[in-house]
Structure formats: structure tokens, C-alpha cells
Amino acid sequence: MMTIGIICAMDEEIELLTQDMQSEQVQTIAGRNFYIGTLYGKQTVLVKSHIGKVAAALTASLLIDHFCVGSIIFSGTAGGIDPTLHVGDAVIGDLTCQHDFKVPGDPLFQIPVLKKSYLKSDCTLTQLAFEAVNDYILHEMLLDIPEKHLKAFHIQTPKAVIGTIASGDEFICDKEKNQWLYEHVQNIKCVEMEGAAVAQVCYEFQIPFAIIRIISDGANDDTHIDFDLFIEEAARYFTKGAIKTLLNKLS
Ligand code: SAH
């Protein structure tokens, strides 16, 4: 069994996972702590990437080239773009694109070195992630998140979907940008700041990957959710639950 690389963008999201890691060693490179050990029975390297495409790409490159992981799973939060998604729903990316990649004369979002606008995640890992996330949100998530926060976030019957995740170095919180993304990105579900960068690194190294996101906000100006509270009271449980369920499903 090859080592699995796990990346989250924020402290709160990796905290519960580091607590569950066994025979853990820590190695620090470029200011990042890489936790090496056994997580839910699988050989794993867990790391916080920090926010943004460059930070995520650097982290993924180190996982692959220095720690020799055989696959990468990213879990974090995202802003919903598909209007049928609500806070607390989950998205597993089958395609990713860099929505801030625009070169005059080239198709929208095309990455010059690859001549591709969209990169595909690993089919098997993505399907397993979808099943794992479904299991977690249907059976455990509502028990993990304290009742008063479920109410505050208006989470009732969360669902998981598969679709396109768009990434860029911008926190999206306005209606016009939201609408622009909805109209220009094929089958877009949500927007965040790391997934497509991890996808490009994995694509170039030919490593399978999956991107898992929980919707934390509507990526528009009527976002009333307290983002920090959502990370603290919902996203940290989601990340642990989704990763635990997924690792248990891997052979
Ligand atoms: N106040 C926070 C900001 C986090 S940036 C802080 O200072 O720590 C947002 C993070 O959540 C990124 O890692 C991104 O991937 C994800 N995200 C959630 N909602 C988003 C949105 N609407 N637009 C872009 N990224 C979003």
C-alpha cells in the first residue's frame, strides 16, 4: 500500500486528524509541518498547505517528490456557486479549473503548459470519496456539529454531489463574480482557493487525487455565515469524518 498524502488549508481542519495519528513523526520543510504516521490503519503524510494556489502547489509537490506519496486527498471548505447547494452540503470534484487563468487568445482557463482548461480527478478515488462523504453526512455529521450551530448555519438535510470545482487566488463574496463563474465554468458546483493547484501538480506528476469540499458560504454578498465559526464548529468535524470514512474504505 502506497503512502497517502492528505492536505487541508487550515489548522482547525488538520487538528483532529493529527490527534488520531499513530507512531507520528514530524518533519518541517519550507515552514510546513509534515505529520508522518498511521492514520486509521493507513500509512499517511498529513500537512497544512496554508491558503492559496501557490501554497497548495508547493505542498503537493513536496508530498510527491520528497515524501513519495502515491495519491493525494485534499479536504476543505468552499463557497457554493450552484444555486441548489446550501451551507453544509459537500462537493467532490470530478473536474477542476483555475478560474483566474486567462491568457489572451487562448480558451478560457487554459493552462499553457498542459493546453487544458479542466483537469480530471482520479475516477476510483473520487467515487470512493463520494460514497465516504455521503455516509458521513447522512449518518454522523449532524451528531458531530452541536445543535445550536446546525441551526445557526441552517443545516438540515445536507447532501453530497460530484461536479466541477473552480479555484483562484481570491475569496469570492460578490454576486456578479458568482454569476460569472456559474455562466463560464462547465458544471461548476463551488469555488475555493487550492483544489485546482493540487490537481495540476498531481496531473504533471501523474499521481491520483481527490478534492473534497464542504460548503461554508454562498460566495456572494449575502453571506451571513461567520466563516471562522464554521471552520471551528463544522468544517473540522467534516474533514475528520470524511477522511476517516474514506481511509476505511481504501484497501
Ligand atoms: N478568514 C479566513 C479566510 C480564509 S480564505 C482566514 O483568514 O483564515 C478561505 C479558505 O476557504 C480558502 O482556503 C478557500 O479554499 C476556502 N473558501 C471557502 N469559501 C470560499 C469562497 N467563497 N471563495 C474562495 N475560497 C473559499
Side-chain angles (χ1 to χ4, degrees):
M1 178 77 199
M2 297 266 261
T3 303
I4 302 163
I6 296 174
I7 312 179
C8 304
M10 310 183 94
D11 279 320
E12 296 83 349
E13 294 172 318
I14 66 160
E15 191 191 335
L16 296 177
L17 293 172
T18 49
Q19 285 170 10
D20 281 355
M21 227 182 188
Q22 286 164 345
S23 53
E24 170 203 294
Q25 293 171 22
V26 187
Q27 198 176 329
T28 306
I29 306 177
R32 281 151 181 80
N33 292 330
F34 292 82
Y35 299 88
I36 307 151
T38 306
L39 185 64
Y40 313 121
K42 303 291 177 332
Q43 188 58 40
T44 305
V45 181
L46 171 67
V47 58
K48 180 183 81 162
S49 60
H50 294 274
I51 293 164
K53 291 197 300 173
V54 175
L58 181 151
T59 308
S61 302
L62 285 171
L63 277 176
I64 297 167
D65 199 48
H66 186 86
F67 293 96
C68 302
V69 302
S71 59
I72 290 184
I73 303 164
F74 191 108
S75 179
T77 59
I81 301 289
D82 177 340
T84 65
L85 290 177
H86 303 106
V87 169
D89 290 344
V91 177
I92 296 87
D94 58 352
L95 294 177
T96 60
C97 85
Q98 296 179 42
H99 69 73
D100 52 2
F101 223 125
K102 295 173 198 163
V103 178
D106 282 357
L108 207 50
F109 317 132
Q110 181 167 285
I111 304 159
V113 64
L114 303 176
K115 296 230 176 328
K116 281 174 176 290
S117 298
Y118 294 88
L119 298 179
K120 220 174 165 320
S121 59
D122 182 72
C123 290
T124 314
L125 201 53
T126 297
Q127 189 57 41
L128 278 176
F130 177 65
E131 288 165 22
V133 168
N134 251 317
D135 283 358
Y136 173 69
I137 62 179
L138 283 178
H139 304 300
E140 286 172 68
M141 188 167 90
L142 301 182
L143 302 172
D144 280 346
I145 304 175
E147 182 91 36
K148 68 171 183 187
H149 296 304
L150 286 174
K151 278 216 178 87
F153 302 137
H154 302 286
I155 299 176
Q156 285 172 340
T157 48
K159 60 178 180 293
V161 298
I162 296 183
T164 305
I165 296 179
S167 312
D169 286 323
E170 183 185 357
F171 187 90
I172 305 294
C173 54
D174 78 274
K175 259 202 187 83
E176 270 159 41
K177 192 72 204 259
N178 186 317
Q179 188 63 26
W180 187 89
L181 289 168
Y182 189 57
E183 284 164 10
H184 291 86
V185 179
Q186 291 171 23
N187 194 33
I188 187 167
K189 300 296 178 202
C190 64
V191 64
E192 36 84 313
M193 301 174 70
E194 299 85 16
V198 171
Q200 182 176 345
V201 170
C202 289
Y203 182 88
E204 297 204 45
F205 278 105
Q206 301 190 333
I207 294 285
F209 68 92
I211 313 288
I212 302 171
R213 294 282 177 174
I214 183 166
I215 303 297
S216 54
D217 57 83
N220 56 28
D221 21 33
D222 46 58
T223 294
H224 300 303
I225 292 289
D226 177 337
F227 184 78
D228 295 334
L229 190 68
F230 187 85
I231 296 284
E232 186 63 35
E233 298 296 345
R236 65 205 302 252
Y237 298 116
F238 172 82
T239 292
K240 177 189 160 172
I243 296 289
K244 182 177 181 177
T245 319
L246 175 55
L247 291 188
N248 282 330
K249 278 184 191 287
L250 293 173
S251 46

